[in-house]
Amino acid sequence: MQILNLHSLFSSTVHSDVFINNLSLPGDESQMMLDARTDIRTRLRDELPKRLREALEDAGAAPRPRFFTQGSWAYKTLNAPCKEPQQADLDDGTYLPFSYIESAPPSEMSSILFNAVEDILGELGVEKGWTLVTENPNCTRLEIDSDKHIDVPVYSIPDTEFALLTKAAVALESRGIAMDAAAAIDDNWDLMPTHGVLMATKTNGWRDSDPRPVKDWVNNEVGIKGEQLRRVMRYIKAWRDHQTWDPDKDPKSILLMVATAEAFDVSVHGHDDVALAKVCERLPEILRGKVINPVTLDRPTDKQEDLAARLDRDGIRDLLISRMENLSRCINHAIYECGDPEKACVILRSEFGIRLPNDPNRVVVESVKAVAPLATAAAKPVGDITAG
């Protein structure tokens, strides 16, 4: 029996035109987002203390904020937009000490912080030609391009934790390190607060919302299961982005990532096509049940978050499962049944889009003992990769 080795269409040490590379933002666009993040941080670092003193009628010193980038950018699962109106997203948290909560009633202080950040970024947006988006009550958004935005949530952390960040910056300055000491400790997640993180909302006071556990979970899963898991997560997200969903009713990234991690088979080494096929075979059954947010597993059962519950609220559980079953059949057919590299490329691109290379010459035909497709057998022998 002949099967097709499609791995080098997905990832390769030989070819640069591969799916995983094509999912990444081009270097100049990535740098645009990083430069915008620097401008945002600089403006907030300089202006936010002044605005807080004015709002609180306090002539005393106000702390300069610290920053941590979070979300898909931080745990390296960000994909470039597939089509309009999708946008690349960078989440950059702004952190201040708890002592500022006590400067005013909590709900009032939350609004003061949120509105100060919104005003400052609105002014920066006018200068830079960026668009301020204010609909989200949990963060301020600046659209820096038609397909890119930066979200800025605001957090308060224990004074002791904030003091550690400040101490680290002072230590760098005392050692004469030739860099902005404040910037040097930003995004050092070893210094990121591990407890007591509250997020300011525009009108609903403070929320218990800590970005660190999700990042730690992703890193732990990848550390245990390998970088292939991170790539497969990105393939599944890219498949989601290529599909058409009703506005704001697409399955969310965190749900897909957690379900993918549960479905992932660590016994598959090197073959991204087979690893993806095995994940897609198992995802429909996983998505039929609860998908518990791993950062809530240590809570009582009634306090755990079921990430799949939103599928029912949005009315898309059956649609997602049906589409995932079709994806599984397509990948199965491309690897185990069609036998034609050109047809296999057409099949895969119908599900994942044109960012997956159309290069049949790269596909390797392999001879193995007769096996059933993944949909009807749990494990399939696959030889070593011979190309890519």
Side-chain angles (χ1 to χ4, degrees), residues 82-145:
C82 176
K83 55 188 176 183
E84 293 183 352
Q86 296 166 9
Q87 295 186 332
D89 175 27
L90 190 157
D91 297 322
D92 202 42
T94 299
Y95 289 77
L96 287 166
F98 265 156
S99 55
Y100 258 79
I101 294 180
E102 300 173 353
S103 302
S107 60
E108 181 182 339
M109 190 62 211
S110 173
S111 296
I112 288 172
L113 271 173
F114 194 103
N115 291 330
V117 169
E118 187 174 278
D119 289 345
I120 293 167
L121 297 187
E123 294 164 5
L124 178 63
V126 171
E127 295 176 19
K128 296 288 187 178
W130 301 335
T131 301
L132 179 72
V133 180
T134 60
E135 283 80 3
N136 192 328
N138 299 321
C139 67
T140 300
R141 173 172 296 182
L142 276 175
E143 292 186 348
I144 64 170
D145 203 356

Side-chain angles (χ1 to χ4, degrees), residues 23-44:
L23 295 180
S24 300
L25 283 174
D28 58 339
E29 296 186 27
S30 178
Q31 190 60 50
M32 177 192 295
M33 296 191 77
L34 291 174
D35 290 344
R37 183 186 69 175
T38 297
D39 290 338
I40 289 169
R41 289 180 171 186
T42 299
R43 184 60 60 91
L44 289 174

Side-chain angles (χ1 to χ4, degrees), residues 153-374:
V154 186
Y155 298 92
S156 189
I157 60 176
D159 286 34
T160 52
E161 303 272 8
F162 194 85
L164 289 176
L165 301 180
T166 302
K167 184 178 180 180
V170 172
L172 289 174
E173 290 175 336
S174 67
R175 286 158 50 194
I177 295 177
M179 62 177 72
D180 180 350
I185 64 168
D186 289 340
D187 297 320
N188 181 348
W189 281 71
D190 289 338
L191 298 173
M192 173 74 178
T194 57
H195 68 282
V197 178
L198 298 176
M199 182 178 70
T201 67
K202 195 168 188 176
T203 57
N204 295 314
W206 296 91
R207 282 183 51 196
D208 184 359
S209 179
D210 186 352
R212 181 169 187 148
V214 176
K215 182 176 185 293
D216 288 347
W217 173 80
V218 173
N219 288 344
N220 289 339
E221 287 290 302
V222 171
I224 294 169
K225 300 175 182 177
E227 280 293 331
Q228 187 178 59
L229 171 60
R230 200 188 319 257
R231 295 198 299 272
V232 173
M233 286 178 174
R234 294 181 65 190
Y235 301 150
I236 294 294
K237 288 174 61 178
W239 168 82
R240 182 266 320 267
D241 292 344
H242 180 62
Q243 309 302 306
T244 299
W245 310 89
D246 288 341
D248 298 321
K249 290 190 177 182
D250 54 325
K252 302 311 173 188
S253 294
I254 183 62
L255 166 67
L256 296 179
M257 290 167 60
V258 173
T260 296
E262 182 178 342
F264 188 77
D265 186 341
V266 296
S267 70
V268 180
H269 301 290
H271 286 266
D272 281 14
D273 54 342
V274 175
L276 178 61
K278 288 198 169 191
V279 165
C280 291
E281 178 196 12
R282 294 165 181 164
L283 278 177
E285 187 60 30
I286 291 171
L287 292 169
R288 286 187 177 93
K290 292 183 177 181
V291 180
I292 302 300
N293 187 336
V295 306
T296 68
L297 283 173
D298 59 348
R299 302 176 187 175
T301 302
D302 61 342
K303 299 295 183 181
Q304 294 176 353
E305 180 186 9
D306 176 15
L307 296 169
R310 182 167 180 170
L311 298 176
D312 295 324
R313 293 195 296 270
D314 290 342
I316 63 167
R317 190 188 293 262
D318 290 343
L319 175 61
L320 173 59
I321 291 171
S322 174
R323 288 182 174 180
M324 188 60 67
E325 289 173 335
N326 182 67
L327 174 62
S328 179
R329 287 191 295 268
C330 287
I331 298 176
N332 244 354
H333 185 67
I335 296 174
Y336 294 102
E337 298 170 355
C338 83
D340 183 337
E342 291 188 3
K343 288 182 180 178
C345 288
V346 171
I347 292 169
L348 292 179
R349 284 163 64 91
S350 71
E351 289 296 313
F352 293 102
I354 62 174
R355 293 186 292 187
L356 194 142
N358 184 19
D359 190 352
N361 294 327
R362 200 187 299 180
V363 177
V364 178
V365 180
E366 298 178 342
S367 296
V368 298
K369 293 181 181 180
V371 294
L374 281 175

